[in-house]
Amino acid sequence: MIKLKTVPVNKLAFKNHLSMIEQFSIKDFLFKWLGRPPEGLDDFLPLEYTESVFAKMEAKQGTSFLINEDERFRYATITEDNQIVIGILDSNDELKHRILSLDEVLAGKHL
């Protein structure tokens, strides 16, 4: 399993709006990163675009995708520095933000 770098939220500057290209880029990245699920991303991990607090591609309500067995995917977004960040709820329902490293992105590693 991949260990993602955990960062404090005060170290991140999230975008207030994502262009359609950025939204599709996040979805395309997640599709590839999850190993190109045959049922497609929309059935495997349905996402919706929201701009509450900051812009993100959020897991639709009722979706529970587990990462590392005890963490749940909540959303993916892009920072002002164009870093891909994943929001995860841990086993205590505490929100954590993790930056995907360039090495993981380029290697196409899976969750």
Side-chain angles (χ1 to χ4, degrees):
M1 288 183 220
I2 292 177
K3 294 292 183 192
L4 304 174
K5 180 181 175 184
T6 302
V7 294
V9 72
N10 64 343
K11 300 285 186 192
L12 300 172
F14 296 111
K15 292 185 177 189
N16 292 322
H17 176 75
L18 297 176
S19 69
M20 290 299 291
I21 291 172
E22 289 170 323
Q23 293 174 47
F24 286 123
S25 295
I26 289 172
K27 287 180 82 168
D28 183 60
F29 169 76
L30 289 172
F31 175 73
K32 290 174 183 171
W33 200 49
L34 293 171
R36 302 176 191 262
E39 60 272 21
L41 185 63
D42 290 333
D43 289 334
F44 189 73
L45 179 60
L47 301 170
E48 61 186 347
Y49 177 67
T50 64
E51 288 185 354
S52 59
V53 183
F54 57 89
K56 58 193 162 293
M57 297 300 294
E58 195 167 9
K60 288 188 177 178
Q61 198 165 17
T63 301
S64 185
F65 180 76
L66 292 177
I67 300 171
N68 296 330
E69 299 176 13
D70 63 346
E71 300 172 320
R72 289 174 293 159
F73 175 90
R74 187 70 189 102
Y75 56 80
T77 190
I78 300 174
T79 67
E80 291 289 344
D81 295 327
N82 291 320
Q83 298 168 302
I84 296 175
V85 176
I86 304 292
I88 297 170
L89 292 174
D90 67 12
S91 58
N92 296 320
D93 283 338
E94 182 179 332
L95 184 62
K96 300 196 182 246
H97 293 92
R98 299 206 174 139
I99 296 175
L100 301 177
S101 76
L102 185 56
D103 291 339
E104 291 167 346
V105 172
L106 294 176
K109 292 184 178 180
H110 309 294
L111 290 172

